[in-house]
Amino acid sequence: MEDTRIPVWLDCDPGHDDTFAILLAAYHPALRLLGISTVFGNASLEKTTHNATSILTSISAASTIPVFIGASHALSRPTMHAPTDIHGDSGLDGTLLLPPPPIPVTTTPAIDAAYAALKSCPQEPHGSSPPARSPTRPRCADDVFGITEGPPLHDPLAVAAILAGIGGEHEIPFYDYDPTAEQGTAQRERFEVTVVTEGTYEDARAGARTGQITAKLLPPGVEGVRIPRGLNIPLFWKVLEECVSQADAVNAAAEAEAASTLPN
């Protein structure tokens, strides 16, 4: 039987937010997580790689979803110190429940693995990587999506956006129009997006525009970047909870199978 799920490659830096992105990509019935590549970000590359494999182990997916080591620093800049004031020294501070990962990470370069996996897909694949963020809860979560409580969710929102427009029971609708505009839902918005790349992390902490993203609204009908103004929040939470329940069920089945093999 043909696998009709949407193939996804997840490039991430776990990170509490990335934990939910991995969970959603691994257990959503419409998504097929081909693999994960880890990069420096919320913690050092060594720690984000360990976190990714530990998260997969905790949801009984370590043996089916491979992890590949990605970049430890920017292509043309020296290595930066991890911003430990955001996610803690480990990148996942706040829990001692995650298991040690039993499966070693492959030595295949992440970019080669991602290319091979995505190239092999018969249908158009999707990639998801963390969008720009601030040292506190992202403004998009508060101001745009109306999410003011709970864990940081910008990365699982990036995964959920893959499901926008697919139709059917698995779609999580995102809204790309200004509800206050005269045209309403008939006028979809597209933007020209610019990212300030000059400067260092220290410059950004001191107030420089490094990493700042600006978006310019394009004239009607002109193609550009789609920036959702909102989504079906109750459905988004419901889907995340369903993925947690699915992971719990798989864990319980794995534990029962392991117990059945123990000597009497």
Side-chain angles (χ1 to χ4, degrees):
M1 179 181 295
E2 181 184 1
D3 190 342
T4 60
R5 294 175 298 168
I6 301 171
V8 176
W9 186 275
L10 188 59
D11 184 64
C12 58
D13 58 337
H16 301 86
D17 46 328
D18 306 84
T19 300
F20 287 90
I22 292 172
L23 176 70
L24 180 59
Y27 278 104
H28 193 282
L31 301 178
R32 177 164 63 99
L33 183 53
L34 303 173
I36 293 174
S37 49
T38 56
V39 294
F40 158 86
N42 291 324
S44 68
L45 177 61
E46 179 183 3
K47 291 177 180 177
T48 60
T49 302
H50 177 274
N51 292 345
T53 52
S54 182
I55 292 164
L56 289 174
T57 303
S58 72
I59 59 175
S60 297
S63 62
T64 56
I65 300 174
V67 176
F68 300 87
I69 301 174
S72 62
H73 55 81
L75 293 176
S76 58
R77 299 179 188 174
T79 302
M80 294 163 44
H81 294 293
T84 55
D85 57 326
I86 304 174
H87 293 267
D89 182 69
S90 71
L92 282 176
D93 278 12
T95 179
L96 300 176
L97 300 177
L98 289 173
I103 298 178
V105 177
T106 177
T107 57
T108 303
I111 191 66
D112 295 339
Y115 175 83
L118 297 173
K119 191 72 173 177
S120 67
C121 296
Q123 61 197 102
E124 181 180 354
H126 290 71
S128 177
S129 59
R133 65 201 65 188
S134 66
T136 59
R137 179 180 299 279
R139 293 187 67 249
C140 66
D142 288 349
D143 301 345
V144 177
F145 297 120
I147 300 176
T148 58
E149 297 180 356
L153 293 171
H154 32 300
D155 286 349
L157 282 171
V159 174
I162 298 171
L163 302 167
I166 67 171
E169 61 178 326
H170 296 313
E171 179 177 8
I172 300 179
F174 281 70
Y175 314 127
D176 58 351
Y177 57 86
D178 183 356
T180 66
E182 182 179 349
Q183 300 90 342
T185 61
Q187 180 62 63
R188 67 174 192 170
E189 297 177 322
R190 294 296 182 267
F191 295 83
E192 176 185 322
V193 175
T194 304
V195 182
V196 178
T197 58
E198 297 302 318
T200 65
Y201 177 72
E202 286 72 21
D203 294 336
R205 296 278 294 179
R209 296 179 64 237
T210 305
Q212 180 177 327
I213 300 175
T214 59
K216 176 184 177 183
L217 181 64
L218 296 171
V222 176
E223 288 300 322
V225 177
R226 176 175 181 255
I227 303 178
R229 283 183 174 266
L231 79 159
N232 187 325
I233 296 175
L235 179 59
F236 175 70
W237 281 116
K238 178 176 180 290
V239 169
L240 276 181
E241 291 170 355
E242 289 172 349
C243 290
V244 171
S245 297
Q246 179 65 17
D248 287 342
V250 173
N251 283 343
E255 291 173 1
E257 181 180 358
S260 68
T261 62
L262 296 176
N264 295 328

